[in-house]
Amino acid sequence: MKAIINFLNLLTDTDWFWSPLLRFRPPKDKNIGSIVVLKITPFIGTVAGIIFAAIQHHLQSPTHFIVDVMFGWVAFFIIYRITFAPAWNSRARMLRQNRAEQGASPDR
């Protein structure tokens, strides 16, 4: 399980993963919550929806295209919240805990 978390964090640590949304990426010791995911969903969810529409051959139908883009938004939000966000938050918790332990240690 730790290997999966490390892999997901490796992806989210890269600038290209967030580009052009780098301003929304929190510091590594801060959690990614639903608000952050909602902020990036219109961009990445739209891209996902367009890809889905192309696969479904719905690019010529405005109604199907809009439904596919909405599906992309919902799918992106759900998938990100159950994969990348928990992996990021797990590391953020660990970093905060390590910092607290180092601050409490008499060796400092």
Side-chain angles (χ1 to χ4, degrees), residues 26-99:
K28 291 181 182 179
D29 65 337
K30 302 292 183 202
N31 285 354
I32 290 181
S34 293
I35 298 298
V36 173
V37 180
L38 279 173
K39 288 178 182 178
I40 63 175
T41 293
F43 182 78
I44 301 174
T46 299
V47 172
I50 291 170
I51 291 169
F52 185 71
I55 290 169
Q56 297 295 316
H57 304 289
H58 290 163
L59 295 176
Q60 302 300 323
S61 168
T63 304
H64 284 107
F65 180 77
I66 291 170
V67 169
D68 290 342
V69 169
M70 290 176 13
F71 173 78
W73 283 35
V74 172
F76 171 78
F77 182 86
I78 291 170
I79 291 169
Y80 199 92
R81 284 295 294 151
I82 65 174
T83 57
F84 291 101
W88 181 283
N89 295 345
S90 173
R91 179 183 57 190
R93 244 183 335 274
M94 182 188 66
L95 290 172
R96 289 191 305 267
Q97 183 179 12
N98 287 346
R99 187 176 23 181

